[in-house]
Amino acid sequence: MAVLVQLSGTRFYRLALLPVTVWLAWRGAFVDMSGGDVKQAQANTMIIVSSVAMRVTVWASAQERFRRQDPSKKRNDSDSESIYTALWNAWDLLVNPRGIGWNWPRGLILPKPIFETDSRVTFIFLSAARLTINAFGFDACLQMIRILSPETFGSANGGSLFDGTLPPMLELARAVLVSFFTVWLAYFTIQWPYQIMAIVWVILFQQHPSQWPPLFNSPWLSTSLSELWGRRWHQMMRELLVTLGMRPFGYLFGPLGGLMGAFLVSGIFHDIELRSIGRGGNSASLIGFWVMCGVGVVLERVWKKSMGRSVGGILGWIWTFGWLALWGVPVVDEWAKSGRLGTLSLPGNFAPSLPLVTFVQRWIEL
């Protein structure tokens, strides 16, 4: 499919292959890789397979053939439609969900790097530094979560964030604290593999550093849900959600319907991904979180229309993260029950932050 979408006159063949491709992806996604071991249950996650299935659907429905561009985006590469060129470019489509260096992303906003460079050597050193920081942050968040409850959600067996034996306020505070660390964990989980990919692709395939801009744009500075999801959070699923959610729902129900459709598709994607682990999952919590994020964006638009100004400032920041906490804690609770927080780790179970976290724990206990 990644080859065909680069060739003219192939839309009929792409649409014909789509059901088979999606069916194969669906079948492969639910193959049990754990062998009955709860510690290996996370290997069943279908996030990569389901993401590929969604991208294949986008490629099948594309009306304009995809073309590569040079890093400056000032011109298209050769219009050659040879099979050889398409095969060479197909690998980039598989690992480039934002479409950087291609002609197909529409309205994509890319963050500016703090240290911008055209030198591949400099870029590799900067990426290695980012990799170190993000890997350490990833492990530190994991260790902090596991310290809070090593026997329940900090273990491979999993468990709820909520403990009825604790006083209500302490129980709620612990759930919010774990959720706080989990959001950072998700951030670092996406960041450190991205830095590895950037290093590998720049070295092996001599890609330009501009093809690997930052994934995030300081999401913690968001003062509205629109700002967070529109330009500060990673945009890797943007084209998928626009094509599969916003456009069809917008056609049926108008602009607001399109907005809600994009969040609904995102919720379904995340729900299927967690369920593929084979350890339950509450669709109302998982899909509901994304739907309510859409509702929050709609409320911000109503506010702007009624008050004549956008949500923003310190009150906007409180609104944004208060709304996320309200609907997000139940999602983290589902993650905790699945055992995800107790089984994630860096390759080789490397734990660079463990000495520091252990020291802090002992200092607090003094």
Side-chain angles (χ1 to χ4, degrees):
M1 197 73 76
V3 172
L4 291 176
V5 76
Q6 301 174 60
L7 306 176
S8 299
T10 61
R11 194 180 185 204
F12 172 80
Y13 303 104
R14 285 183 271 129
L15 290 172
L17 286 172
L18 178 61
V20 177
T21 307
V22 172
W23 180 79
L24 288 173
W26 183 263
R27 292 278 296 178
F30 287 96
V31 174
D32 187 0
M33 305 292 290
S34 68
D37 184 354
V38 295
K39 294 183 178 180
Q40 301 300 321
Q42 306 300 323
N44 292 338
T45 179
M46 65 176 293
I47 188 167
I48 296 176
V49 177
S50 55
S51 176
V52 170
M54 292 173 72
R55 271 186 279 170
V56 165
T57 305
V58 171
W59 299 340
S61 61
Q63 298 184 10
E64 178 184 359
R65 78 178 183 90
F66 289 1
R67 296 181 178 89
R68 290 289 294 270
Q69 296 176 321
D70 69 349
S72 65
K73 298 188 179 181
K74 294 179 180 179
R75 63 176 178 82
N76 284 342
D77 282 346
S78 170
D79 277 341
S80 170
E81 294 189 45
S82 70
I83 295 296
Y84 172 79
T85 301
L87 284 169
W88 175 250
N89 290 336
W91 63 265
D92 188 77
L93 280 176
L94 290 171
V95 299
N96 187 0
R98 291 185 291 179
I100 299 169
W102 290 83
N103 67 327
W104 50 267
R106 301 288 187 269
L108 177 66
I109 300 175
L110 295 174
K112 293 290 184 181
I114 298 176
F115 302 105
E116 195 165 3
T117 178
D118 291 327
S119 167
R120 288 186 173 87
V121 174
T122 302
F123 176 81
I124 290 168
F125 277 106
L126 289 172
S127 296
R130 297 186 193 105
L131 169 60
T132 302
I133 294 170
N134 285 295
F136 187 90
F138 169 87
D139 186 64
C141 289
L142 273 181
Q143 302 304 332
M144 291 301 298
I145 290 170
R146 291 170 182 173
I147 283 174
L148 290 170
S149 184
E151 301 301 325
T152 55
F153 54 76
S155 70
N157 292 320
S160 177
L161 299 182
F162 299 98
D163 182 355
T165 64
L166 296 174
M169 291 304 297
L170 181 58
E171 179 185 22
L172 178 61
R174 188 181 72 156
V176 171
L177 181 61
V178 173
S179 299
F180 170 80
F181 284 123
T182 303
V183 171
W184 278 103
L185 178 65
Y187 172 84
F188 291 125
T189 299
I190 299 170
Q191 284 278 45
W192 70 261
Y194 180 78
Q195 301 305 327
I196 292 177
M197 291 178 63
I199 293 171
V200 171
W201 259 252
V202 168
I203 292 175
L204 294 185
F205 298 101
Q206 289 296 289
Q207 288 195 333
H208 193 272
S210 64
Q211 293 178 262
W212 293 92
L215 277 176
F216 296 88
N217 185 13
S218 304
W220 48 87
L221 298 180
S222 301
T223 56
S224 70
L225 293 167
S226 302
E227 181 184 22
L228 173 65
W229 299 122
R231 66 183 184 88
R232 288 196 178 274
W233 197 249
H234 75 78
Q235 301 294 299
M236 291 191 292
M237 293 186 64
R238 184 183 186 281
E239 194 69 19
L240 305 180
L241 300 180
V242 168
T243 302
L244 303 179
M246 181 170 287
R247 287 174 185 166
F249 279 82
Y251 177 79
L252 293 173
F253 306 110
L256 291 182
L259 173 68
M260 294 303 300
F263 280 102
L264 175 62
V265 171
S266 180
I268 293 172
F269 167 80
H270 287 89
D271 181 51
I272 293 174
E273 185 273 326
L274 183 62
R275 285 183 175 276
S276 66
I277 297 172
R279 305 190 65 189
N282 186 332
S283 297
S285 297
L286 292 160
I287 299 177
F289 168 77
W290 294 101
V291 170
M292 293 311 298
C293 281
V295 170
V297 173
V298 171
L299 291 176
E300 290 178 353
R301 294 187 178 185
V302 172
W303 168 272
K304 182 178 181 179
K305 187 174 181 179
S306 302
M307 306 302 293
R309 64 178 186 275
S310 301
V311 175
I314 185 62
L315 292 180
W317 186 89
I318 294 172
W319 147 259
T320 300
F321 291 98
W323 187 262
L324 292 174
L326 176 63
W327 304 105
V329 170
V331 174
V332 177
D333 190 44
E334 293 303 315
W335 278 27
K337 291 175 183 176
S338 75
R340 171 165 290 177
L341 303 180
T343 53
L344 287 173
S345 67
L346 291 170
N349 291 320
F350 181 50
S353 72
L354 188 57
L356 177 60
V357 172
T358 302
F359 172 79
V360 172
Q361 181 186 18
R362 290 176 179 173
W363 182 81
I364 294 174
E365 291 173 351
L366 291 177

